[in-house]
Amino acid sequence: MSEPGRIVAGILSPHPPHLIYASNPPQNEPRSSRAGAWNGLLDGYEKLRAELARHEFDVLVAHTPHWKTRTGHHFLGVPHFEGKSVDPIFPNLFQYNFALDIDVELSEAIHDEAAAAGLSTRMMRNPEFRVDYGTITSCHLVHPAWDKPVVAISSARTAFDYSNEAGDQEMLALGRATRRAIEASGRRALCLASNSLSHRHFTSEPEDPEDPSFEHVYNENQSAWDRHILGLMKAGETRRIFDEMPDFTEQCVAETKDGCLSWLLAAMDFPPLPATVHGYGTVIGTGNAVVSWDLDSARTEASA
Amino acid sequence: MSAAAGELLGGYLMPYQPLPVLAPEANAGWASLAANAARIRAEIEASGADLLLLFSTRWVSIIGHQMQADPKPEWWVVDEDFHEFGTLHYSLRMDAEFATAYRDAARARGLHARTVAYQGFPIDVGTITTLKLLNPDNRIAASVVSCNAYSDRAETLVLGKAAADAVRASGRKAIAIGVSALSNRMFSRWIDPAQDRIHSQKDDEWNRKLLELLAEGRLEDVSQLAREFSRQANGDSRMKAIWWLAATLGQHNQYTGTVFDYQPVWGTGAAMVGLQPAEAGSGDLEYDEDDAEFFRGDRNVLVSQSDDES
Ligand SMILES: [Fe+2]
């Protein structure tokens, strides 16, 4: 391909399986009551999809917290996967029959760039591998047609095994490697960070999991931190979010510990661009936001 | 269910790493673990046990405690890290009736608990590995309970006591098995399997100290020491498996301990230990930790205004 590739949009696309459950897609076996506990987030995803409909893209590149690797950063390297994904944590909500194609060439290119940057990396070539529900949920909610290939990157456990700071430094290197590989590939990519924000769960569930009278944030600390981070996103303060990330992760028990958002900010090269917060809501007490940085529109405006 | 009172015949600690099953030929220590598991298997077969009751740190739950109640889980799992060593295909035999009894016993002690039985449910790698090593032909029915991400010592003790309640009530002759690493620091880079070793000397020294106590049958002392061990040696899941095992077996030091093996697996401390009740053992020593009989809920002191839970 002659045109240089680019990241069309960077997206924070949280993956509570509850949102798939609530949407009742044909791939998922359990049926929800549609009682409405997570409507704010489902509306957010709908607005995001409307925004994305204005853009062309070739591939979704997802960084997922639910493929947890302790031996570095792993990449799916098999052209096609299908099977059934049952969430080990919420199996009552998510029994999803998946079929997806992998952009193995781009996956290998990101792997090679990351390895050249000194990161520990591994291609995953076992065709029996069960694709994690973080990748499936985020990709489904962003682009339910499943007509584009995917690149899925595991969450290396550096932040858990060493420190939040060490984890974020690896995500910085991995994000930059991702950007270089996308540019060299000629692909137009959507980059998806598949994490929640505040991430303390309730440890019980109501009779109807979708009962809106049960759903609220775990506590005020969680919600105050989420508001703060969303404020920085709307203000275009991407660098400051990255700088505050270790504290946010620590003090808010945030799923950013898994590195997805740090990776995304680095892949986008910290644009001083106000993000669009399409929706915010809680799922079993955790804070989730659907957010996009519409890089293509910003490019068009800049060149107009 | 049987009217006769059930009993716990003993307990074991087993490592969670799948490499001794997937690739014993790649490392002498991994092969040693697989070989020594056969000794435990023979001991279990001779014991007359009719239930293997597992707590696996690799099965993480959020909604309270989950008991596997699919009588015949059949599927396959590819390890998140060690995918290139192959696939673990499994067909297991679970005691669904006991799972229900365990759930009820847990609820009676205030815990959130539920059974799960879903086709294709991903049985965790630690459970599959342990059952492949100790019970490959499914001669004995098994039961597995999850490791709640948020539960601390008190809640885990209550979960262990509920296991003992359920064993007594159900008439089972059970063996309790904690599936857990000791030190859980892995090499975060790819290594030559032949070069595997414990990640650091300090981890190794702490592991050996714990095994010294376990060899003396001092399970409760190890349970009391678990927090310190976790801090010092990056213990697996804060050593909840030890808390659970000690509580299930009765919180004392009167055991005959056998260390069947201790090897590094990708840097982690992988130990196989047996604990049989003994007439005389090390006496009750110095206990600092609190004890709990009943779970009274999460300690969320910053509840939001809309939180109507009392
Ligand atoms: Fe998650």
PDB file of all heavy atoms in Angstrom, chain B residues 67-79:
ATOM      1  N   MET B  67     -19.474 -22.373  42.844  1.00  0.00           N
ATOM      2  CA  MET B  67     -19.197 -23.796  42.946  1.00  0.00           C
ATOM      3  C   MET B  67     -19.540 -24.448  41.611  1.00  0.00           C
ATOM      4  O   MET B  67     -20.649 -24.275  41.091  1.00  0.00           O
ATOM      5  CB  MET B  67     -20.063 -24.436  44.042  1.00  0.00           C
ATOM      6  CG  MET B  67     -19.643 -24.069  45.463  1.00  0.00           C
ATOM      7  SD  MET B  67     -20.198 -22.409  45.934  1.00  0.00           S
ATOM      8  CE  MET B  67     -19.546 -22.275  47.607  1.00  0.00           C
ATOM      9  N   GLN B  68     -18.590 -25.192  41.056  1.00  0.00           N
ATOM     10  CA  GLN B  68     -18.805 -25.816  39.750  1.00  0.00           C
ATOM     11  C   GLN B  68     -19.792 -26.975  39.895  1.00  0.00           C
ATOM     12  O   GLN B  68     -19.538 -27.913  40.651  1.00  0.00           O
ATOM     13  CB  GLN B  68     -17.475 -26.326  39.191  1.00  0.00           C
ATOM     14  CG  GLN B  68     -17.559 -26.927  37.806  1.00  0.00           C
ATOM     15  CD  GLN B  68     -18.217 -26.012  36.785  1.00  0.00           C
ATOM     16  OE1 GLN B  68     -19.299 -26.297  36.285  1.00  0.00           O
ATOM     17  NE2 GLN B  68     -17.579 -24.883  36.492  1.00  0.00           N
ATOM     18  N   ALA B  69     -20.913 -26.905  39.186  1.00  0.00           N
ATOM     19  CA  ALA B  69     -21.975 -27.903  39.351  1.00  0.00           C
ATOM     20  C   ALA B  69     -22.357 -28.580  38.037  1.00  0.00           C
ATOM     21  O   ALA B  69     -23.385 -29.249  37.958  1.00  0.00           O
ATOM     22  CB  ALA B  69     -23.202 -27.261  39.979  1.00  0.00           C
ATOM     23  N   ASP B  70     -21.512 -28.424  37.010  1.00  0.00           N
ATOM     24  CA  ASP B  70     -21.730 -29.191  35.790  1.00  0.00           C
ATOM     25  C   ASP B  70     -21.187 -30.595  36.054  1.00  0.00           C
ATOM     26  O   ASP B  70     -19.994 -30.752  36.315  1.00  0.00           O
ATOM     27  CB  ASP B  70     -20.983 -28.524  34.627  1.00  0.00           C
ATOM     28  CG  ASP B  70     -21.140 -29.284  33.317  1.00  0.00           C
ATOM     29  OD1 ASP B  70     -21.703 -30.396  33.331  1.00  0.00           O
ATOM     30  OD2 ASP B  70     -20.678 -28.770  32.287  1.00  0.00           O
ATOM     31  N   PRO B  71     -22.038 -31.639  36.010  1.00  0.00           N
ATOM     32  CA  PRO B  71     -21.532 -32.970  36.380  1.00  0.00           C
ATOM     33  C   PRO B  71     -20.425 -33.473  35.461  1.00  0.00           C
ATOM     34  O   PRO B  71     -19.603 -34.287  35.877  1.00  0.00           O
ATOM     35  CB  PRO B  71     -22.774 -33.871  36.298  1.00  0.00           C
ATOM     36  CG  PRO B  71     -23.807 -33.096  35.560  1.00  0.00           C
ATOM     37  CD  PRO B  71     -23.471 -31.640  35.698  1.00  0.00           C
ATOM     38  N   LYS B  72     -20.395 -32.992  34.219  1.00  0.00           N
ATOM     39  CA  LYS B  72     -19.363 -33.480  33.304  1.00  0.00           C
ATOM     40  C   LYS B  72     -18.847 -32.346  32.421  1.00  0.00           C
ATOM     41  O   LYS B  72     -19.174 -32.286  31.231  1.00  0.00           O
ATOM     42  CB  LYS B  72     -19.938 -34.614  32.444  1.00  0.00           C
ATOM     43  CG  LYS B  72     -18.855 -35.421  31.757  1.00  0.00           C
ATOM     44  CD  LYS B  72     -19.439 -36.544  30.901  1.00  0.00           C
ATOM     45  CE  LYS B  72     -18.305 -37.281  30.197  1.00  0.00           C
ATOM     46  NZ  LYS B  72     -18.790 -38.158  29.128  1.00  0.00           N
ATOM     47  N   PRO B  73     -18.037 -31.470  32.962  1.00  0.00           N
ATOM     48  CA  PRO B  73     -17.506 -30.390  32.122  1.00  0.00           C
ATOM     49  C   PRO B  73     -16.539 -30.954  31.086  1.00  0.00           C
ATOM     50  O   PRO B  73     -15.595 -31.680  31.434  1.00  0.00           O
ATOM     51  CB  PRO B  73     -16.747 -29.489  33.108  1.00  0.00           C
ATOM     52  CG  PRO B  73     -17.069 -29.995  34.469  1.00  0.00           C
ATOM     53  CD  PRO B  73     -17.521 -31.411  34.327  1.00  0.00           C
ATOM     54  N   GLU B  74     -16.807 -30.629  29.838  1.00  0.00           N
ATOM     55  CA  GLU B  74     -15.951 -31.106  28.743  1.00  0.00           C
ATOM     56  C   GLU B  74     -15.661 -29.926  27.836  1.00  0.00           C
ATOM     57  O   GLU B  74     -16.601 -29.314  27.313  1.00  0.00           O
ATOM     58  CB  GLU B  74     -16.684 -32.175  27.917  1.00  0.00           C
ATOM     59  CG  GLU B  74     -16.581 -33.568  28.467  1.00  0.00           C
ATOM     60  CD  GLU B  74     -17.270 -34.583  27.558  1.00  0.00           C
ATOM     61  OE1 GLU B  74     -18.468 -34.408  27.262  1.00  0.00           O
ATOM     62  OE2 GLU B  74     -16.610 -35.538  27.155  1.00  0.00           O
ATOM     63  N   TRP B  75     -14.425 -29.608  27.621  1.00  0.00           N
ATOM     64  CA  TRP B  75     -14.071 -28.539  26.696  1.00  0.00           C
ATOM     65  C   TRP B  75     -12.562 -28.552  26.544  1.00  0.00           C
ATOM     66  O   TRP B  75     -11.936 -29.597  26.796  1.00  0.00           O
ATOM     67  CB  TRP B  75     -14.564 -27.178  27.226  1.00  0.00           C
ATOM     68  CG  TRP B  75     -14.907 -26.182  26.143  1.00  0.00           C
ATOM     69  CD1 TRP B  75     -14.128 -25.136  25.738  1.00  0.00           C
ATOM     70  CD2 TRP B  75     -16.106 -26.122  25.355  1.00  0.00           C
ATOM     71  NE1 TRP B  75     -14.780 -24.432  24.741  1.00  0.00           N
ATOM     72  CE2 TRP B  75     -15.988 -25.017  24.485  1.00  0.00           C
ATOM     73  CE3 TRP B  75     -17.260 -26.896  25.282  1.00  0.00           C
ATOM     74  CZ2 TRP B  75     -16.985 -24.660  23.569  1.00  0.00           C
ATOM     75  CZ3 TRP B  75     -18.249 -26.539  24.365  1.00  0.00           C
ATOM     76  CH2 TRP B  75     -18.101 -25.439  23.526  1.00  0.00           C
ATOM     77  N   TRP B  76     -11.997 -27.410  26.223  1.00  0.00           N
ATOM     78  CA  TRP B  76     -10.535 -27.344  26.158  1.00  0.00           C
ATOM     79  C   TRP B  76     -10.114 -25.935  26.549  1.00  0.00           C
ATOM     80  O   TRP B  76     -10.880 -24.986  26.405  1.00  0.00           O
ATOM     81  CB  TRP B  76     -10.025 -27.679  24.760  1.00  0.00           C
ATOM     82  CG  TRP B  76     -10.504 -26.736  23.700  1.00  0.00           C
ATOM     83  CD1 TRP B  76      -9.889 -25.594  23.272  1.00  0.00           C
ATOM     84  CD2 TRP B  76     -11.728 -26.843  22.951  1.00  0.00           C
ATOM     85  NE1 TRP B  76     -10.649 -24.987  22.293  1.00  0.00           N
ATOM     86  CE2 TRP B  76     -11.770 -25.725  22.082  1.00  0.00           C
ATOM     87  CE3 TRP B  76     -12.776 -27.768  22.929  1.00  0.00           C
ATOM     88  CZ2 TRP B  76     -12.843 -25.507  21.202  1.00  0.00           C
ATOM     89  CZ3 TRP B  76     -13.838 -27.541  22.052  1.00  0.00           C
ATOM     90  CH2 TRP B  76     -13.851 -26.429  21.197  1.00  0.00           C
ATOM     91  N   VAL B  77      -8.896 -25.840  27.039  1.00  0.00           N
ATOM     92  CA  VAL B  77      -8.365 -24.539  27.423  1.00  0.00           C
ATOM     93  C   VAL B  77      -6.940 -24.424  26.910  1.00  0.00           C
ATOM     94  O   VAL B  77      -6.162 -25.372  26.991  1.00  0.00           O
ATOM     95  CB  VAL B  77      -8.411 -24.368  28.964  1.00  0.00           C
ATOM     96  CG1 VAL B  77      -7.488 -23.233  29.400  1.00  0.00           C
ATOM     97  CG2 VAL B  77      -9.836 -24.075  29.433  1.00  0.00           C
ATOM     98  N   VAL B  78      -6.648 -23.251  26.359  1.00  0.00           N
ATOM     99  CA  VAL B  78      -5.279 -22.934  25.946  1.00  0.00           C
ATOM    100  C   VAL B  78      -4.769 -21.897  26.936  1.00  0.00           C
ATOM    101  O   VAL B  78      -5.415 -20.866  27.145  1.00  0.00           O
ATOM    102  CB  VAL B  78      -5.256 -22.380  24.506  1.00  0.00           C
ATOM    103  CG1 VAL B  78      -3.840 -21.948  24.120  1.00  0.00           C
ATOM    104  CG2 VAL B  78      -5.788 -23.419  23.519  1.00  0.00           C
ATOM    105  N   ASP B  79      -3.654 -22.158  27.561  1.00  0.00           N
ATOM    106  CA  ASP B  79      -3.124 -21.236  28.566  1.00  0.00           C
ATOM    107  C   ASP B  79      -2.819 -19.879  27.947  1.00  0.00           C
ATOM    108  O   ASP B  79      -2.316 -19.792  26.827  1.00  0.00           O
ATOM    109  CB  ASP B  79      -1.854 -21.827  29.187  1.00  0.00           C
ATOM    110  CG  ASP B  79      -1.373 -21.008  30.365  1.00  0.00           C
ATOM    111  OD1 ASP B  79      -1.955 -21.151  31.446  1.00  0.00           O
ATOM    112  OD2 ASP B  79      -0.425 -20.203  30.187  1.00  0.00           O
TER     113      ASP B  79
END
